[in-house]
Amino acid sequence: MEEHLKPMPIKQKFLTPGVWALIIIAAFGMTALLLRYILGIGAITNLSNQYPWGIWIGLDVALGVALAAGGFTTAALGHILHKDKYHAIVRPALLTAALGYTFVAVSVMTDLGRWYYIWHPLIMWNGNSALFEVGICVMIYLTVLYIEFLPIVAERFIGKVNLPGFLSAFNNSVDRFLRFLDRVLDKTMFIFIIAGVVLSCLHQSSLGTLMIISGQKMHPLWQTPVLPLLFLLSAISVGFPMVIFESIISSRSFKLKPETDILRGLADIIGPLLAIYLAFKIGDMVIRKSFVYLMEVNTVSILYTIELVVGIIIPLRMFFSRTLTKSIPGLFIASSLVILGVLLNRLNNFVVAYTPPYATSAYVPSVGEILVTLGFVALEVLIYRAAVMFFPVISQPKPAASVSKYSAKGV
Amino acid sequence: MPKQSRRDFFKISAALTAVTAGVTSTKIKAESKDYIPDKAMGVLIDTTVCIGCRKCEWACKVAHDMPTAPLESYDNRTVFNEMRRPDHTALTVINEFPGKELDRFPIDVKYQCMHCNTPACVSACIVKAFHKHPNGTVTWDGSKCIGCRYCMVACPFQIPAFEFDKAIEPDIKKCDFCFERTKIGMLPACVEICPNEVLTYGKREDLINIAHNRIEIDPDKYENHVYGEFEVGGTSWLYLAGKKMPELGMPDLPRATAPGVSESIQHGLFAYFVPPLALYAVLGGVMWINKNRKNSETEE
């Protein structure tokens, strides 16, 4: 496969009707975001002293981190387990992860009351705090992701450096620097790749530790000491479905042939991963006897059941079906269900399960909160689209003429 | 070869699972390391003698330079029509509950930060903005706080309050046990003003003895429970009441400290950085083996 597929910038029109729709959503979101920074968090959110955290933490941060798991799972598959077949998806997954974590950082900042002190954890450490661990790990991992992306930037510009105006005098030195950087990174990249996987395992699980300290304020269906393990397992099992989901959407959007062979290979791995996650989730429920809370029908038990059945069991069955994973729609639906399941899980853990003792009414996200969340998603998709048009990220059939020294590289 | 990759993945996930699972079984500490019995001060609140005059609410605001209505307005008892909570405008409030059957007096209960022996906020805070002092006080440091509100998620009593209406420098507000006053030998403002000796300030150990004495002397008047003696590992502030405290607006809490489980997991995962480094080494090894295997395959 790799012989005739090569990552290249996609040469297509940026603006389409769908893109315009995204731009409008992003514009609304950014307006709401501006209001948050001018008027304060209370002005545009439904957060209160009873509900200090809402969807900005539950979705923008916790789900954002989970859905960016494609980055470290594909890196583990492609580089650590050395399955060359999957190299074509490493770059899109890396870009998604880098963008995803960037938006996680922006979302955290948006939710911080004193956002301009976001750097404080760098020098004020609290080793007891799960949030400190998550914060530091995400900061380091974001840096690692950018470093992992550097070779793609270098590849884009080597031999093509063309600075405007008087800066053009530096064209040669910049080119030399990029070549140097590329060589050094090529030799040392394995350090960052392994670090990326380790850091991911650490903070994906610590994200689960976050809510444990809330004790009985969290519904017993979700409150368990194995939360970190469940968070890690769910992140690992949502990584590949996310890659499949994105790959199918972007091949549809850019009218490219979907990489069916690769996606099917991934699908074969998802089944066992989901099975492990399900086993731990059910096992935990049986050991803690928390299933008693499923006997009564209410919002909490319904949401838990949907999370379990629609988000894990049904897609698990689908990924073990040969006929379904052979078809692109089958893959797409199964992957979407896993993503939906993890979305619901994070929302449940951080918002639904959190039942503070003195709340007089339940928390429902405000229009402003929803606009900001949707705006971030739209903006992320737009930047992704722009990036794959500018950088060599998505693998395409190679035109015969464009063979260069850098075409053979895998990363 | 899907089979091969599947097996590799099982191996990896098994390794990760072992790392995390091994940790969760670590023993949970029940004793507080911050609690120094010789120095820890506290306040015993005897709700049976509180008349709900709310002078403590006024004194608290004055002591903390917070805007307040004149003292006379606190005589207005209509505020008791609804249940209130301490927040960023009032660090302590009193709620009123119907009395015990034969007792015609209502029960008034004062709420404020409990100053836990093992505070969840101190453990949770990402930048150590909360500090537990030897005298039991838990204070908040505005020069560190980043406004993440994790303390509010963590607190079992739902006490820290956030100034949601401020765009710049929003504070976390909670009772600071009048740290600046007690430091120079003064009483906490609420204790000082209380006209009915509802509040007794003293060494926590002594207060617990006093509380049990009072129960012993008048077992009909008191529920046989000193709230705060053992709840979430013990608190500096203690309650005596004629009813069970969960009926009087306090949460029904276990004896285990609030941060116990999460700190054990956290410290287990990062025990001298061994687990992360071990994972790094394992992954590096797997990567090296796979690369060599690939190379030898291509050579053949």
Side-chain angles (χ1 to χ4, degrees), chain B residues 20-39:
Chain B
T20 332
V23 159
T24 45
S25 55
T26 328
K27 224 172 72 191
I28 294 157
K29 285 169 290 182
E31 295 247 318
S32 160
K33 56 184 180 303
D34 291 325
Y35 179 55
I36 308 159
D38 276 354
K39 292 187 177 168

Side-chain angles (χ1 to χ4, degrees), chain A residues 36-43 45 47-54 56-57 72-73 76-77 79-86 111-121 124-135 137 189-198 201-202 205-206 209-217 224-226 228-229 232-233 236 240 265 268-269 272-273 276 280 320 322 354 356-358, chain B residues 1-2 4-6 8-10 12-14 16-18 20-21 24 33 85-88 111 119-128 140-158 160-172 249-254 258-263 265-267 269-270 275-277 279-288 290-291 293-295:
Chain A
R36 173 260 171 271
Y37 280 106
I38 297 172
L39 302 174
I41 294 176
T45 68
L47 299 178
S48 62
N49 285 331
Q50 295 303 315
Y51 290 96
W53 283 359
W56 285 355
I57 294 293
F72 88 95
T73 48
L77 184 65
H79 295 303
I80 293 181
L81 297 181
H82 233 280
K83 306 281 178 237
D84 291 340
K85 172 182 161 186
Y86 297 106
D111 195 72
L112 289 184
R114 301 168 164 212
W115 47 271
Y116 37 85
Y117 290 149
I118 192 168
W119 50 273
H120 272 185
M124 302 168 188
W125 294 12
N126 181 5
N128 291 334
S129 168
L131 190 62
F132 170 75
E133 204 277 303
V134 172
C137 258
M189 191 48 84
F190 75 96
I191 298 173
F192 297 107
I193 288 169
I194 306 175
V197 177
V198 174
C201 291
L202 292 180
S205 51
S206 291
T209 321
L210 272 192
M211 292 305 281
I212 287 182
I213 202 168
S214 70
Q216 56 187 31
K217 290 200 279 181
T224 156
V226 296
L229 181 61
L232 179 63
L233 292 176
I236 292 175
F240 297 133
D268 284 340
I269 311 168
L273 291 178
I276 298 172
F280 274 92
F320 274 119
R322 287 270 154 213
Y354 185 74
Y358 304 105
Chain B
M1 351 169 256
Q4 183 68 48
S5 58
R6 215 178 273 179
D8 286 343
F9 249 84
F10 272 123
I12 295 269
S13 6
L16 297 182
T17 315
T20 332
T24 45
K33 56 184 180 303
R85 287 295 302 163
D87 62 11
H88 57 285
Y111 307 95
C121 53
V122 173
S123 165
C125 182
I126 182 168
V127 288
K128 273 197 183 152
W140 168 84
D141 179 353
S143 67
K144 290 183 175 173
C145 179
I146 62 172
C148 73
R149 308 188 298 284
Y150 190 32
C151 50
M152 302 165 71
V153 172
C155 177
F157 300 96
Q158 203 71 25
F162 179 74
E163 295 182 308
F164 281 101
D165 50 334
K166 278 197 184 172
I168 294 289
E169 294 293 270
D171 285 350
I172 292 285
M250 294 301 281
D252 191 4
L253 293 167
V261 182
S262 105
E263 281 192 12
I265 294 174
Q266 207 50 24
H267 292 165
L269 274 174
F270 289 90
L277 290 175
L279 180 60
Y280 195 101
V282 168
L283 291 175
V286 172
M287 191 175 190
W288 187 70
N290 280 310
K291 198 167 180 178
R293 190 199 292 161
K294 192 69 68 179
N295 286 346

Side-chain angles (χ1 to χ4, degrees), chain A residues 15 184 333:
Chain A
L15 291 171
V184 172
I333 293 170

Side-chain angles (χ1 to χ4, degrees), chain B residues 81-96:
Chain B
N81 291 343
E82 56 182 78
M83 290 293 153
R84 299 178 300 150
R85 287 295 302 163
D87 62 11
H88 57 285
T89 60
L91 308 183
T92 184
V93 295
I94 293 182
N95 280 338
E96 195 165 83

